[in-house]
């Protein structure tokens, strides 16, 4: 189902106690009605604490990564079963930092998506071009490659477990959010590709989030674009006040004042 999502990617930030403190404060401030689904992605070590804190709340828990094998000799890695076991609903896969800093390939990301789906984890599948690729007019080519290889062989039924996040690499952590036109153009292209790979119904039900330098101050003109269904927020999700402000704005933009 196409839903509106406000997701926090904390990256390598927050100890378990800090994660719990954030969630407790956040729950107190979440005193308004919203049709927007909230997802929080702490680092691995904070998942268990966060999971306990999120019990009986509608906020979803996500991991930021996982391995594509079931189990075995993969030092430093975490499996889908482990994430399910600790209470994760989602896993972020293909984030640009995984691709560019840790050398993850489209093929690895594809295997991870399949494994997550097999274990009933929903996936936030990240795609996006670098500045160099954009400047060389390769944005669509890159998005098409990442989407076609990432989703290869994934059934249309399984796709209901997938959310796509468009995160232009040049906008991540730079303070330079995409313009509403740039975001809409990319999101529209992504939706069209999902249509081409599957069908119109599947494409119209796909949630496509924008990520890259989102703040409460700059997101509303992007959020109101027809193909933008929410945000994957990095830096501005680390403070309760700024993250709840983004959620409030999205709730207003997507469904009017609550
Ligand atoms: P920033 O919001 O810090 O630019 O990070 C975006 C991001 O990478 C979310 O996954």
């Amino acid at each position: 189902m196409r839903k509106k999502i406000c997701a926090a990617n904390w990256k390598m930030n927050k100890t378990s106690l800090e994660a719990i403190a954030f969630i407790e404060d956040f729950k107190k401030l979440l005193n308004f009605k919203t049709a927007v689904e909230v997802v929080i992605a702490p680092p691995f070590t904070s998942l268990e604490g966060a999971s306990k804190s999120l019990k009986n709340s509608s906020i979803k828990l996500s991991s930021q990564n996982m391995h594509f094998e079931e189990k075995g000799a993969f030092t430093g890695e975490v499996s889908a079963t482990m994430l399910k076991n600790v209470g994760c609903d989602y896993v972020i896969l293909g984030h640009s930092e995984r691709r560019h800093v840790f050398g993850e390939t489209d093929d690895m990301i594809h295997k991870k998506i399949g494994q997550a789906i097999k274990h009933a984890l929903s996936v936030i599948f990240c795609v996006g071009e670098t500045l160099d690729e954009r400047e060389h007019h390769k944005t669509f080519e890159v998005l098409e490659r990442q989407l076609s290889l990432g989703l290869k062989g994934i059934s249309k039924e399984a796709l209901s477990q997938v959310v796509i996040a468009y995160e232009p690499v040049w906008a991540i952590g730079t303070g330079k959010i995409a313009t509403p036109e740039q975001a809409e153009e990319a999101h529209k292209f992504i939706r069209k590709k999902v249509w081409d790979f599957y069908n119109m119904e599947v494409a119209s039900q796909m949630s496509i989030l924008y990520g890259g330098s989102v703040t409460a101050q700059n997101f509303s003109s992007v959020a109101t674009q027809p193909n933008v269904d929410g945000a994957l927020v990095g830096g501005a999700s680390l403070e309760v006040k700024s993250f709840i402000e983004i959620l409030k704005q999205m709730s207003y933009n997507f469904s009017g004042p609550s």
Side-chain angles (χ1 to χ4, degrees):
M1 194 188 69
R2 184 161 168 187
K3 47 187 172 184
K4 306 299 183 186
I5 298 173
C6 185
N9 176 8
W10 286 348
K11 309 191 178 184
M12 198 169 72
N13 292 288
K14 296 197 191 294
T15 62
S16 191
L17 286 179
E18 287 165 347
I20 292 167
F22 178 107
I23 292 165
E24 292 305 319
D25 287 349
F26 187 81
K27 285 193 299 193
K28 279 185 211 133
L29 293 177
L30 194 55
N31 53 8
F32 52 94
K33 270 214 180 112
T34 178
V36 177
E37 182 167 279
V38 179
V39 180
I40 295 183
F44 287 137
T45 49
S46 303
L47 286 173
E48 186 160 14
S51 178
K52 286 185 182 140
S53 234
L54 290 175
K55 240 194 178 87
N56 303 321
S57 90
S58 59
I59 302 165
K60 306 288 184 198
L61 183 65
S62 178
S63 158
Q64 301 170 15
N65 184 30
M66 57 163 242
H67 197 262
F68 50 78
E69 293 289 351
E70 288 289 337
K71 59 177 173 177
F74 301 102
T75 302
E77 294 292 333
V78 165
S79 72
T81 305
M82 293 168 187
L83 296 181
K84 266 315 259 195
N85 197 259
V86 83
C88 282
D89 308 286
Y90 281 89
V91 55
I92 298 173
L93 295 175
H95 191 277
S96 84
E97 286 144 23
R98 299 302 318 169
R99 293 177 188 267
H100 299 292
V101 184
F102 298 99
E104 284 192 14
T105 62
D106 289 310
D107 182 52
M108 289 161 79
I109 294 158
H110 169 246
K111 288 188 200 152
K112 291 182 180 203
I113 293 174
Q115 182 72 352
I117 287 170
K118 186 171 151 199
H119 287 270
L121 281 165
S122 293
V123 174
I124 300 178
F125 171 34
C126 303
V127 294
E129 80 288 359
T130 62
L131 183 60
D132 187 60
E133 288 162 343
R134 174 163 282 267
E135 285 176 348
H136 287 85
H137 309 288
K138 291 200 169 134
T139 299
F140 293 154
E141 191 185 308
V142 169
L143 293 178
E144 176 154 11
R145 190 201 73 230
Q146 293 174 338
L147 288 167
S148 65
L149 296 179
L151 298 176
K152 192 174 59 182
I154 305 291
S155 72
K156 71 174 193 297
E157 291 72 29
L159 215 66
S160 61
Q161 271 171 257
V162 177
V163 169
I164 297 173
Y166 171 59
E167 297 209 309
V169 182
W170 48 269
I172 296 178
T174 58
K176 198 172 178 295
I177 189 173
T179 64
E181 295 75 24
Q182 286 171 325
E184 174 59 16
E185 182 185 47
H187 283 229
K188 200 170 164 186
F189 178 83
I190 291 167
R191 199 175 301 286
K192 176 68 173 62
K193 282 297 127 194
V194 176
W195 182 334
D196 292 347
F197 299 156
Y198 296 89
N199 59 39
M200 188 188 77
E201 171 72 13
V202 172
S204 66
Q205 292 303 312
M206 174 62 70
S207 298
I208 307 176
L209 315 184
Y210 169 82
S213 294
V214 167
T215 65
Q217 289 70 42
N218 66 17
F219 189 53
S220 76
S221 55
V222 174
T224 46
Q225 297 303 307
N227 283 291
V228 175
D229 302 308
L232 180 53
V233 189
S237 72
L238 293 172
E239 298 293 331
V240 179
K241 283 203 173 106
S242 55
F243 188 55
I244 203 115
E245 209 40 58
I246 295 168
L247 174 64
K248 268 189 190 160
Q249 282 209 5
M250 280 178 53
S251 307
Y252 183 85
N253 284 331
F254 291 137
S255 49
S258 51

